[in-house]
């Protein structure tokens, strides 16, 4: 049975350009993509030149071969004239309840250490009670519903004044956001990047090299946050990020669970106090 085609939205990028852009961002040649997708370089070339129209199955294989995020897979299908495959539900949708309950369980299990859940823009979806230690002293205006954690971390009225290694930590955050924007371009991400970059002081190469010479500047390959907390004193925290590896819903696939861990014994003892 032939797949049902639906007109792509007028504002959508034409499929040849969308495919070429996705392939180029991942530094794949037409031949490499063709081998991965089970087709020929000639066919990929014809598609990117608008001389050939791919079927839905080939578009899906191309999306798999490019390892596209679910949102971009849907966009590629729409650009080709096909209906999107992956649903994008609201967080309040009962269908997402099991996933959110699992995340809540992880948040609770991570106590007494802070942990949060954010969406692709860094907006807070959930947090455990220990996260309050990190936000002490921040402007209440930055702590409202669906607060943006990236803004909270780098804003002068947020956590920034209490982060001892702010230039180093801030560059780490900015570079991660820039890389996400490079891989998955988005106007809102671009605007957020530009805003946050304005909060970060210049960090010359010489300064960065000097900062890396100290034995405690980096913990292995991580950049620890050195935070002066109000109630627990100085803290050194490293982070881990987890995602749903097999999510079929766009909303769930874009959630990230960021868990903060003590980078030294003093931090562990401070966070366990009264736990």
């Amino acid at each position: 049975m032939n797949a049902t085609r639906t007109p792509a939205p007028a504002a959508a990028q034409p499929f040849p350009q969308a495919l070429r852009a996705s392939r180029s961002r991942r530094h794949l040649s037409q031949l490499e993509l063709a081998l991965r997708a089970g087709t020929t370089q000639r066919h990929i070339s014809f598609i990117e030149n608008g001389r050939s129209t791919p079927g839905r199955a080939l578009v899906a294989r191309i999306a798999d071969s490019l390892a596209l995020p679910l949102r971009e897979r849907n966009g590629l299908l729409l650009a080709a004239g096909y209906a999107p495959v992956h649903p994008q539900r609201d967080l309040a949708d009962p269908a997402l309840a099991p996933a959110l309950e699992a995340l809540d369980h992880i948040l609770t299990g991570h106590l007494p250490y802070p942990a949060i859940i954010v969406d692709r823009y860094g907006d807070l979806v959930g947090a455990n009670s220990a996260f309050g230690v990190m936000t002490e002293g921040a402007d209440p205006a930055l702590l409202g519903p669906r607060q943006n954690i990236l803004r909270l971390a780098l804003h002068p009225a947020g956590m920034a004044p209490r982060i001892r290694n702010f230039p180093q930590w801030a560059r780490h955050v900015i570079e991660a956001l820039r890389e996400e924007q490079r891989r998955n371009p988005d106007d809102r991400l671009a605007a957020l990047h530009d805003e946050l970059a304005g909060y970060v002081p210049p960090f010359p190469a010489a300064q960065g090299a000097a900062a890396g010479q100290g034995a405690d500047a980096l913990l292995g390959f991580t950049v620890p946050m050195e935070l002066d907390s109000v109630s627990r004193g100085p803290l050194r925290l490293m982070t881990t990020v987890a995602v749903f590896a097999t999510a079929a819903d766009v909303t769930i696939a874009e959630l990230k669970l960021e868990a903060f861990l003590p980078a030294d014994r003093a931090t562990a003892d401070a966070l366990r106090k009264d736990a």
Side-chain angles (χ1 to χ4, degrees), residues 175-262:
E175 289 302 322
L177 189 58
R178 182 178 295 136
E179 175 60 18
E180 174 65 20
Q181 171 65 8
R182 185 193 68 79
R183 288 186 288 109
N184 304 300
D186 181 277
D187 289 343
R188 183 178 167 191
L189 274 179
L192 180 62
H193 171 273
D194 291 346
E195 175 195 346
L196 299 184
Y199 302 144
V200 181
F203 195 52
Q207 181 183 351
Q213 291 173 357
D216 294 330
L218 297 179
L219 182 67
F221 54 84
T222 68
V223 180
M225 174 192 286
E226 299 176 4
L227 179 71
D228 286 325
S229 71
V230 176
S231 60
R232 303 300 173 100
L235 303 174
R236 295 185 75 239
L237 299 162
M238 54 184 178
T239 63
T240 62
V241 176
V243 298
F244 281 98
T246 57
D249 181 275
V250 174
T251 302
I252 291 298
E254 293 179 345
L255 293 182
K256 297 178 182 178
L257 188 148
E258 185 167 5
F260 296 85
L261 295 164

Side-chain angles (χ1 to χ4, degrees), residues 58-75:
L58 179 55
V59 176
R61 292 206 310 275
I62 288 173
D64 286 339
S65 301
L66 292 170
L68 299 182
L70 301 191
R71 180 184 296 273
E72 195 172 345
R73 291 175 187 236
N74 280 348

Side-chain angles (χ1 to χ4, degrees), residues 99-238:
L100 296 180
E101 288 173 4
L103 290 172
D104 282 340
H105 180 74
I106 297 173
L107 289 177
T108 302
H110 194 66
L111 291 170
Y113 307 138
I116 58 176
I117 302 166
V118 297
D119 64 15
R120 72 188 301 244
Y121 299 107
D123 289 348
L124 187 68
V125 173
N128 65 13
S129 57
F131 183 61
V133 172
M134 300 180 64
T135 64
E136 294 168 338
D139 186 335
L142 298 172
L143 300 175
R146 295 303 300 272
Q147 60 189 271
N148 186 275
I149 294 302
L150 303 178
R151 182 179 293 111
L152 174 66
L154 304 189
H155 196 284
M159 296 167 57
R162 295 184 294 109
I163 299 177
R164 293 183 174 185
N165 59 337
F166 179 76
Q168 186 182 30
W169 175 261
R171 300 314 305 184
H172 162 72
V173 173
I174 292 295
E175 289 302 322
L177 189 58
R178 182 178 295 136
E179 175 60 18
E180 174 65 20
Q181 171 65 8
R182 185 193 68 79
R183 288 186 288 109
N184 304 300
D186 181 277
D187 289 343
R188 183 178 167 191
L189 274 179
L192 180 62
H193 171 273
D194 291 346
E195 175 195 346
L196 299 184
Y199 302 144
V200 181
F203 195 52
Q207 181 183 351
Q213 291 173 357
D216 294 330
L218 297 179
L219 182 67
F221 54 84
T222 68
V223 180
M225 174 192 286
E226 299 176 4
L227 179 71
D228 286 325
S229 71
V230 176
S231 60
R232 303 300 173 100
L235 303 174
R236 295 185 75 239
L237 299 162
M238 54 184 178

Side-chain angles (χ1 to χ4, degrees), residues 25-45:
R25 284 196 299 272
R26 287 156 179 83
H27 305 290
L28 287 177
S29 67
Q30 290 182 343
L31 178 58
E32 289 172 320
L33 176 57
L35 291 174
R36 292 185 182 189
T39 185
T40 65
Q41 180 181 359
R42 180 184 177 89
H43 195 185
I44 295 295
S45 176

Side-chain angles (χ1 to χ4, degrees), residues 133 229 231-235 265-274:
V133 172
S229 71
S231 60
R232 303 300 173 100
L235 303 174
R265 177 57 59 186
T267 298
D269 290 343
L271 291 172
R272 289 172 181 163
K273 184 177 66 175
D274 303 327

